[in-house]
Amino acid sequence: MTYTLIGTPVSLYSGKVRGYLRWKNVAFTERLSTREVYKADILPRVGWPVIPVVIHEDGSAHGTTLQDSTDIIDHVEACAPGPSVYPDTPRQRLAALILELFGDEWLVIPAMHYRWAYNRDFAQQEFGATSHPHLSPDEQFAAAEKAVGFFSGSVGGLGVNPNSVAAIEAAYEDFLAVFDDHLGEHDTLFGSRPSIADYGLLGPLYAHLLRDPKSGELMRRLAPRVARWAEACHAPQHGLTGDFLPDDEIPSGVARLLQRFAAQQLPVLLDTAEALRSWAEGQAPGTEVPRILGFHKAVIGHGDSQVETDRAIIPYALWMLQRVTDFRASLGAEARASVDEMLRNTGAAKLIDFVPPARLQRRHFKLALAD
Ligand SMILES: N[C@@H](CCC(=O)N[C@@H](CS)C(=O)NCC(=O)O)C(=O)O
């Protein structure tokens, strides 16, 4: 086996990577992220407790360790032959990078909310079964108390609180309606081949919003095509199938999702960028960026349901945004004009004038200012 994925079925970003590896048809085995595996493999290799981790047995002494679902996917894309999850054409590629960010860092809000509001006992049992596979079910449940406290306690930082719950649920249902409509016409976001954005959406939509029982019932009822898409994107595979739509077409459903990104997530990203700009002033190149830069007011929800709430300032998302702006900056004049038109038409014109606050890098599996 060439790759080992360390993760668990209950983990959001593990589902993103697992679905991708299966589609890409690379040989991999999955190792459950038990307590022992954290101690023996994850902490020594990564330096802090996080999944998914991928080890690539590439002939080097200990293999190459990869963390962060995006870095994992990019590494495999660079090493494995065959069709890519990155569209070649400018609009589709830019839209795919944006919607990966929307899935990873925005749909994580409903994913965490629904899990901890409606599926707590299920998730606690699953956490226990992952960490301590050899204990009895009751012991597993008890042993997961602390981890559940950590993860369920983190919803407040995402802006989930009694004031914002109705808005979060309304925005999620709106998202489901738009995506379900889209899937009435296309198998995936950009045609019949899954893109990096399909896997960005798969993270929250699979492990939490489909697999957690109460959330799964809701998704199957409100958006059965989304449920089937998530199952297909996560299914054991099948040869590298499908293609992106010709002529750099942006389907109307994708444009509507980009509008949701522009209306909901983009303002929070821009505010986060200002916080990073202030923080980064006077910091030496290479300095590690804290995971949270304090709190800010953020508007959450969709349309009439929007509310203002307190939320942690999470700079990591700006590293994903940098991928978007780097790609746009790499384009020649004609292609740039084409993507800018798409950004204007979807309400994301602010991305055109956006001046990144500081160059970011991932170093030692953490976010840091560029060297
Ligand atoms: N951006 C990271 C996120 C990874 C992540 O948040 N993983 C969760 C489990 S799904 C975790 O282990 N979190 C521990 C923590 O955030 O402290 C990725 O894409 O891999």
Side-chain angles (χ1 to χ4, degrees), residues 26-349:
V26 293
F28 76 100
T29 44
E30 185 158 349
R31 185 144 25 111
L32 196 63
S33 50
T34 63
R35 213 170 113 95
E36 278 64 42
V37 168
Y38 268 95
K39 274 196 234 151
D41 290 291
I42 299 177
L43 289 175
R45 285 173 179 272
V46 177
W48 62 287
V50 63
I51 49 171
V53 171
V54 163
I55 301 167
H56 182 191
E57 304 300 344
D58 55 3
S60 57
H62 303 286
T64 297
T65 303
L66 304 157
Q67 201 296 307
D68 194 279
S69 54
T70 299
D71 282 336
I72 293 168
I73 291 173
D74 283 358
H75 177 93
V76 178
E77 284 290 298
C79 296
S84 170
V85 288
Y86 287 101
D88 281 331
T89 52
R91 285 177 177 234
Q92 289 183 351
R93 186 161 182 144
L94 193 87
L97 289 166
I98 290 175
L99 292 180
E100 185 201 8
L101 164 59
F102 184 67
D104 266 44
E105 293 293 312
W106 197 249
L107 292 182
V108 64
I109 301 171
M112 292 291 274
H113 160 59
Y114 281 92
R115 167 165 289 174
W116 298 115
Y118 304 118
N119 298 275
R120 191 182 180 94
D121 286 356
F122 171 82
Q124 181 160 345
Q125 191 65 53
E126 292 275 301
F127 273 40
T130 296
S131 301
H132 306 280
H134 304 301
L135 295 184
S136 72
D138 284 351
E139 289 167 330
Q140 289 173 340
F141 190 83
E145 195 78 46
K146 203 168 139 206
V148 162
F150 172 77
F151 281 97
S152 65
S154 70
V155 298
L158 294 174
V160 181
N161 55 58
N163 248 345
S164 64
V165 158
I168 289 166
E169 296 189 356
Y172 174 57
E173 292 191 14
D174 164 76
F175 164 81
L176 283 181
V178 173
F179 194 27
D180 200 67
D181 267 3
H182 170 83
L183 293 170
E185 287 174 44
H186 304 282
D187 295 341
T188 62
L189 282 164
F190 298 97
S192 53
R193 185 195 299 183
S195 67
I196 186 75
D198 289 85
Y199 294 108
L201 300 188
L202 185 69
L205 291 175
Y206 173 71
H208 292 228
L209 291 162
L210 178 67
R211 192 174 174 277
D212 286 355
K214 288 279 191 313
S215 307
E217 269 168 39
L218 182 78
M219 186 192 288
R220 283 180 219 282
R221 182 159 52 79
L222 296 183
R225 284 188 285 243
V226 176
R228 282 198 294 276
W229 160 92
E231 278 159 0
C233 282
H234 187 262
Q237 286 279 4
H238 62 254
L240 299 149
T241 50
D243 227 326
F244 299 127
L245 292 165
D247 303 325
D248 206 14
E249 180 187 338
I250 294 295
S252 59
V254 169
R256 291 172 73 202
L257 293 177
L258 291 174
Q259 284 167 0
R260 272 58 187 176
F261 160 80
Q264 298 171 29
Q265 187 179 17
L266 184 56
V268 176
L269 292 171
L270 297 177
D271 209 41
T272 305
E274 288 322 305
L276 181 69
R277 202 185 304 282
S278 309
W279 176 85
E281 244 170 60
Q283 300 280 355
T287 304
E288 187 183 321
V289 180
R291 291 184 77 185
I292 289 178
L293 294 174
F295 276 74
H296 59 169
K297 296 277 177 213
V299 174
I300 286 202
H302 175 69
D304 293 345
S305 77
Q306 288 193 325
V307 293
E308 192 182 66
T309 188
D310 291 318
R311 185 183 142 95
I313 303 173
I314 304 170
Y316 168 83
L318 297 175
W319 175 74
M320 293 189 79
L321 184 64
Q322 179 173 280
R323 289 159 49 79
V324 174
T325 50
D326 279 357
F327 175 67
R328 179 181 168 276
S330 76
L331 294 171
E334 199 179 319
R336 198 181 298 185
S338 166
V339 300
D340 286 355
E341 190 194 5
M342 174 181 79
L343 292 173
R344 271 191 222 97
N345 289 343
T346 52

